[in-house]
Structures are given as C-alpha cells and as structure tokens.
Amino acid sequence: MAASQSPVLILLGPPGAGKGTQARILEEDFGLIQLSTGDLLRAAVASGSEAGRRAKSVMDAGGLVSDEIVLAILRDRMAAPDVARGIILDGFPRTDGQASALDVLLAETGQRVTAAISLEVDDEAMVGRVAGRSTCATCGEGYHDEFKRPAVAGTCDKCGGTAFKRRADDTAETVRERLKAYHAQTAPLIAYYDGKGVLERIDAMGTIAAIRAALGAIVGRVAA
Ligand code: AP5
C-alpha cells in the first residue's frame, strides 16, 4: 500500500457470514468507515426514490440490484469527506462489473484495494444466522436470537433502545436465493482478488470474538 493511501478493505462472504457485524467492529477498533451497499439500498427504498423503487422488488426476491443503481449510490457515498479515513466495503463489489468499476473509481484518486477478506462459512448455517437476526431500530446495532442477545432482554446494549426490527428479505426462502446469487456472481471475485495479490481468507464459522481477533490481525498488518 502506498504510504499516502487510506485503507480500502473489502469484506467478501455470503449472506450471514458476518460482514456487517465485523464491519461495525472494525469501525470501532480502527476508526474506519463502513460502506454497506445493502444499507444504502435499504435507505433508498425507505426514501421512496426512483432508484429505491427499482431496487425493492429485486431485493425482496433475493437477486442482485443492477450495477447501474448500485454504482450510482456508491459513488455518491464515496464523495463524502469521511471516507478519507479509510473504508470497509460491506457487500460490495458483488459482480465483475462492480469490481472493475471500483478499480477505476479508486484509480481516480491514486488508490487501490488494500485487502479483500473472504469470510468463509458453511451455507446451511447461514440460513439459521440470517433467520435469527434483528437490529435495534434506533442505532442499528445487530443482534441474533441465539448467538448475540442483548445483555438485558429487549434493551439495546449500545443505545438503550427497546424497539427491534427484522429485514423483509431475511426469510429462509429468500436467503437461499441470495446464497445462489452469491455463488453465481460474487464468489468468482475471490479469484479476482487472489490474482491481484490482495486476498485474505478467514474461517468465519467461529465466534464473533474469534473472527474479530483474526480480522484485527489482518487489518493491523495490511493497513498499518
Ligand atoms: P446485504 O445487506 O449486503 O445483505 P447480504 O450480503 O445478504 O448480507 P447480510 O447482511 O445478510 O449478512 P452479513 O454477512 O452482513 O451478516 P451479519 O453480520 O448481519 O444485501 C441485501 C440485498 O441488497 C442483496 O440481496 C441485494 O439484493 C442488494 N445488494 C446489496 N449490495 C448489492 C450490490 N453490491 N450489488 C447488487 N445488489 C446488492 O450477521 C448475520 C447474523 O448472524 C446476525 O444476527 C449476527 O448477529 C449473527 N452473526 C454474525 N457473525 C456470527 C458468528 N460468527 N457466529 C454466530 N452468529 C453470528
């Protein structure tokens, strides 16, 4: 990595692999900015924008939103000044076209991908992880019915909020469609980043704490 470059980290992995959970931890541990295209798209859907309307039916069915829409929202977000601190891309890129577009976008500012970290998991376990997920409606902190419960039942550990929500696409049936899309269109990017010499692999079937430690060691090494 060039001395002047801020870290550009990519978290690759199927639905439920822990990309969002670990990206939020990396924000806290390293002061980086999480850029989740899933979150950006859900915000577009909630806003009722044209892009959001076009994205909604695709997301509800577990498919991939068009590169055109995704790249437009990502470019907007990357124009904000806070990304200069370094970024963790969560759920992006997901196609060959998005990976090439990211290379071009970074090159415009003399940057490149620092590391693409593949969170390696067992598909069937991911259905259970996603189906048990909820988030705090106030601050967005993520929880799981079995693996990550709030310390006080019904109260968010982070902000004390008492309302929790579940995502419309977190049904077992839709997760299986999202897994298919991942293997068909996103998993090939593992070889793409391996070819560039920036791929790191992590066994992401362990505990959230164990994965945090493994990721922290990688980020400390590549982003120092
Ligand atoms: P997106 O929001 O990106 O969803 P996803 O990739 O399917 O990933 P998830 O958010 O479901 O899982 P995650 O890996 O973040 O897991 P989490 O940390 O929450 O995308 C949604 C949709 O938007 C897509 O289907 C597509 O339509 C569209 N989209 C988004 N980006 C796009 C793009 N670039 N191009 C085209 N379309 C795009 O963990 C899951 C649960 O497990 C949580 O409850 C958590 O607490 C728990 N957990 C986490 N780690 C562990 C662990 N180690 N052990 C036990 N439990 C754990």
Side-chain angles (χ1 to χ4, degrees):
M1 184 178 69
S4 60
Q5 179 177 328
S6 309
V8 177
L9 307 172
I10 295 170
L11 294 185
L12 289 169
K19 303 181 296 296
T21 300
Q22 296 296 337
R24 282 187 291 278
I25 290 173
L26 288 173
E27 276 195 326
E28 287 175 14
D29 290 354
F30 291 90
L32 304 172
I33 300 292
Q34 174 195 18
L35 295 190
S36 158
T37 44
D39 287 347
L40 292 170
L41 286 165
R42 280 183 286 280
V45 170
S47 76
S49 67
E50 172 61 19
R53 278 198 295 276
R54 286 167 59 197
K56 185 176 185 324
S57 57
V58 180
M59 293 171 77
D60 285 348
L64 292 188
V65 175
S66 73
D67 285 358
E68 177 208 351
I69 290 177
V70 171
L71 289 168
I73 61 163
L74 187 83
R75 271 197 203 96
D76 278 357
R77 181 64 185 88
M78 285 185 69
D82 62 345
V83 302
R85 284 159 52 185
I87 56 175
I88 311 145
L89 290 163
D90 159 10
F92 180 91
R94 265 174 146 103
T95 64
D96 288 346
Q98 292 179 16
S100 306
L102 176 64
D103 289 344
V104 171
L105 189 60
L106 293 174
E108 286 168 6
T109 52
Q111 299 189 86
R112 62 188 173 80
V113 172
T114 309
I117 305 167
S118 171
L119 303 182
E120 313 223 321
V121 290
D122 171 64
D123 270 15
E124 207 42 47
M126 295 307 100
V127 178
R129 274 200 199 170
V130 172
R133 168 168 56 188
S134 62
T135 54
C136 170
T138 308
C139 73
E141 180 66 6
Y143 292 96
H144 190 278
D145 296 345
E146 184 181 349
F147 307 122
K148 188 186 167 199
R149 298 187 186 127
V152 177
T155 303
C156 176
D157 296 341
K158 280 272 163 71
C159 74
T162 53
F164 294 80
K165 59 184 182 181
R166 294 187 187 261
R167 275 170 42 181
D169 61 345
D170 278 353
T171 63
E173 186 189 350
T174 310
V175 175
R176 289 188 207 285
E177 290 306 312
R178 286 158 55 197
L179 283 166
K180 277 188 211 159
Y182 174 79
H183 287 293
Q185 291 168 273
T186 308
L189 297 183
I190 294 172
Y192 178 79
Y193 289 112
D194 198 14
K196 287 179 170 290
V198 294
L199 180 72
E200 305 277 348
R201 294 175 187 269
I202 284 189
D203 174 356
M205 288 301 293
T207 63
I208 293 173
I211 299 160
R212 174 188 195 161
L215 264 173
I218 290 174
V219 176
R221 170 165 51 81
V222 300

